[in-house]
Amino acid sequence: LTADEVYVLCDDNPCLHVFSHAGERLRSLLSRGLQMQMTQVTGPRFFCLDAAENIILSDTSAHRIQIFSKEGNFIQTIGEEGQQPGMLCLPKGIALMEQLSLVVVSQNKNSLQIFSCQ
């Protein structure tokens, strides 16, 4: 939710829709057959927005966090599959903290990790 837009993530059919507060669909950033630029999102579960309204998305099935501009352009991937520090295993919950620190909860590791998003 931003001052002008409402974001809706559907995880059963990967899609991220953006609506006006009046309910008008403004754009779809992710859906079947429509992939965000430069990368494929396979299993989005949670997302948050940073101060610039970049989309930070937990791509659970791919064991990574992906960051996109509000227009859907790929910016960065955080993490990869694994059990070591800095690696992710089914990342679920995410939250953005002050100083651009991203907190990620991994389901199978029963862990909480903090990453820099700068």
Side-chain angles (χ1 to χ4, degrees):
L1 181 65
T2 68
D4 301 318
E5 300 171 331
V6 175
Y7 288 71
V8 178
L9 177 66
C10 304
D11 64 357
D12 59 337
N13 174 20
C15 59
L16 181 62
H17 300 293
V18 183
F19 295 88
S20 70
H21 285 281
E24 175 188 358
R25 188 167 77 181
L26 303 174
R27 61 189 178 279
S28 293
L29 299 176
L30 173 67
S31 64
R32 271 187 217 271
L34 177 69
Q35 298 173 357
M36 289 186 169
Q37 181 183 11
M38 298 286 295
T39 188
Q40 182 176 359
V41 176
T42 59
R45 292 295 178 262
F46 295 93
F47 77 97
C48 59
L49 302 177
D50 66 14
E53 297 183 16
N54 292 320
I55 302 157
I56 303 170
L57 182 75
S58 66
D59 193 359
T60 302
S61 300
H63 308 280
R64 63 186 173 194
I65 304 299
Q66 297 198 68
I67 303 176
F68 300 91
S69 70
K70 67 187 253 178
E71 294 81 21
N73 297 316
F74 176 76
I75 296 173
Q76 177 183 359
T77 295
I78 297 174
E80 60 181 291
E81 183 176 7
Q83 297 295 323
Q84 301 300 317
M87 298 178 136
L88 301 170
C89 186
L90 300 172
K92 293 281 187 169
I94 58 175
L96 192 62
M97 298 171 45
E98 293 181 29
Q99 284 87 38
L100 295 177
S101 295
L102 179 68
V103 177
V104 180
V105 176
S106 287
Q107 175 180 322
N108 284 4
K109 286 177 62 174
N110 294 321
S111 68
L112 182 121
Q113 296 188 70
I114 300 175
F115 295 89
S116 173
C117 291
Q118 298 179 6

